[in-house]
Amino acid sequence: SGLHRTPLSGGVQNATLRCDLPSPAVAVRNLVEQAQFAHLCTVMSNMHHRRAGYPFGSLVDFAADGAGHPVLSPLAIQTRNLLEDPRCSVVVQMPGWTGLANARVTIFGDVHKLPGPELQEQAQEIFHSKHATRANRGGRYVSGNSVFFRMNRILDIYFVGGFGTVQWVDVEEYSRVQPDSIVLCNPSRTLQVLNETYSARVRELLSRRDLPADDAAFISIDGRGADVRVRTGGEYSVERIGFDQA
């Protein structure tokens, strides 16, 4: 066992194998479990006469249920838009975002308000479990909006990985797979411990004699390895630290 480094290079088709990444479907499940927020893009309703029919995007609190379907707490404008037209897209990006080298996914589908107090309470529990744990808070999670919506129907998934993986992900495959167990067990805490313990050593590993790294931080983890954000001067990149399978 041990660690090995995979540099960010090579062709698109070989990226998953070369970097020993999870399959794209599993990578997306991992991503939605680790993401803290999402960009919700809705169609402006007729109530907004000046921009009716135009896309409206804004940041919202985000979580996913056990099937990987987005559960959202939209703002007032988005709520009115969704009630009139449920078609939307949800853009989720990896925590620690620094640019286009980071993984992100766009999920297309129809979002509807969860009916009844029981499902609303379940959504509240999902948000509490995710966000309160992430923030290391003992208190309950409090959303800016007490009404929760769910993407009941996922129509398509477009995934852009951080290592050259760019593709449409089959929705049925996405629904069948499970996220890696490591991302279901407080990954924020895992990353915190990794950074506290190994950040300096990883920075040395990722430095070159002519170009030393100024900072290295673990930003995501999965069953096959971890992604590290590297800062050199004012430039950022992402490197893959793989777990040996021996």
Side-chain angles (χ1 to χ4, degrees):
S1 175
L3 297 177
H4 65 270
R5 174 189 174 188
T6 301
L8 183 60
S9 63
V12 172
Q13 298 299 323
N14 296 323
T16 298
L17 178 62
R18 175 178 52 80
C19 295
D20 197 21
L21 303 175
S23 71
V26 173
V28 175
R29 287 298 304 269
N30 290 342
L31 179 53
V32 301
E33 289 295 335
Q34 296 186 72
Q36 302 164 6
F37 306 99
H39 293 274
L40 175 60
C41 303
T42 58
V43 180
M44 287 289 268
S45 71
N46 289 323
M47 181 180 297
H48 308 288
H49 58 91
R50 292 177 57 185
R51 296 292 179 264
Y54 278 80
F56 176 79
S58 186
L59 199 64
V60 296
D61 290 329
F62 173 81
D65 66 10
H69 287 245
V71 177
L72 308 158
S73 179
L75 304 177
I77 291 179
Q78 295 163 323
T79 296
R80 292 194 291 267
N81 293 345
L82 290 170
L83 291 175
E84 183 170 306
D85 187 340
R87 295 176 301 169
C88 69
S89 62
V90 176
V91 182
V92 179
Q93 61 196 42
M94 187 61 66
W97 174 266
T98 55
L100 298 180
N102 294 89
R104 62 271 192 195
V105 63
T106 302
I107 305 175
F108 300 83
D110 298 335
V111 169
H112 298 272
K113 179 182 175 182
L114 286 167
E118 182 177 353
L119 290 177
Q120 288 289 328
E121 289 175 5
Q122 291 176 7
Q124 179 74 20
E125 285 298 322
I126 289 174
F127 269 74
H128 168 69
S129 176
K130 180 170 188 174
H131 291 274
T133 300
R134 172 180 57 84
N136 258 336
R137 297 194 299 265
R140 294 193 59 77
Y141 166 79
V142 178
S143 169
N145 185 352
S146 60
V147 179
F148 294 93
F149 287 63
R150 178 181 184 266
M151 183 176 283
N152 294 329
R153 184 171 68 144
I154 297 176
L155 295 174
D156 228 330
I157 300 169
Y158 184 69
F159 176 57
V160 181
F163 297 89
T165 52
V166 181
Q167 73 177 77
W168 295 92
V169 174
D170 182 77
V171 175
E172 291 187 4
E173 181 184 1
Y174 174 81
S175 300
R176 287 195 307 267
V177 301
Q178 293 295 316
D180 291 332
S181 58
I182 196 169
V183 307
L184 298 175
C185 187
N186 198 353
S188 297
R189 175 58 180 164
T190 302
L191 293 172
Q192 179 184 351
V193 172
L194 285 174
N195 281 315
E196 291 173 351
T197 307
Y198 297 110
S199 179
R201 292 166 62 183
V202 170
R203 185 179 67 246
E204 294 177 3
L205 171 67
L206 299 179
S207 292
R208 301 202 314 259
R209 178 173 299 181
D210 60 329
L211 195 64
D214 297 310
D215 183 59
F218 290 90
I219 60 173
S220 69
I221 194 167
D222 55 62
R224 294 175 176 269
D227 296 341
V228 180
R229 182 188 64 217
V230 183
R231 179 176 64 83
T232 304
E235 300 294 325
Y236 289 89
S237 63
V238 176
E239 295 278 358
R240 177 76 173 175
I241 301 293
F243 303 145
D244 284 342
Q245 301 298 311

